[in-house]
Amino acid sequence: MSVIVTDDGFAAADWADGLNEAEVLDLPSDTQPEEVALSEGLKLVRVEFPSFSDGRGFTIARVLRRRGYTGKLRAFGHVISDQYAM
C-alpha cells in the first residue's frame, strides 16, 4: 500500500489521480535537473530515492523549484519520516 505524508498527516497516495502520462514525469536520482524539460502541461514530478541516505533527490527538487516548477513534487522510494520536512 502506498501512502503519502502531508502537512496534515498520512493520506492515500494521490500521485496519479486524474493525470495522464504527459502530465507526470519520473526522474531517477542521477538526473541533471538543469537539463530537465519543464513543459507547460507538467503537473507532477516524482523524484526517485534509491536509498534513504541518498540525498540527491532533495537537490533535484530544489533546482526544479528554483527553475520555476510550481506543480506537485513527490519523492518515491526509500524516504524515511525524518526527511519529510525537507
Side-chain angles (χ1 to χ4, degrees):
M1 178 173 127
S2 294
V3 296
I4 189 166
V5 180
T6 69
D7 290 336
D8 297 321
F10 295 101
D14 69 345
W15 67 269
D17 287 352
L19 299 179
N20 65 47
E21 195 174 298
E23 297 171 316
V24 179
L25 179 63
D26 285 329
L27 297 178
S29 61
D30 61 351
T31 296
Q32 297 299 319
E34 299 84 6
E35 298 174 6
V36 173
L38 298 174
S39 65
E40 286 188 32
L42 188 60
K43 296 184 179 177
L44 171 70
V45 175
R46 294 189 331 149
V47 181
E48 177 190 24
F49 282 75
S51 165
F52 74 88
S53 62
D54 186 339
R56 293 177 291 175
F58 296 116
T59 301
I60 292 169
R62 186 178 75 201
V63 170
L64 292 177
R65 289 291 191 217
R66 285 186 178 169
R67 289 186 55 211
Y69 177 69
T70 59
K72 290 182 181 180
L73 276 173
R74 295 289 186 258
F76 74 96
H78 299 278
V79 181
I80 58 176
S81 60
D82 292 347
Q83 297 169 323
Y84 165 69
M86 294 177 216

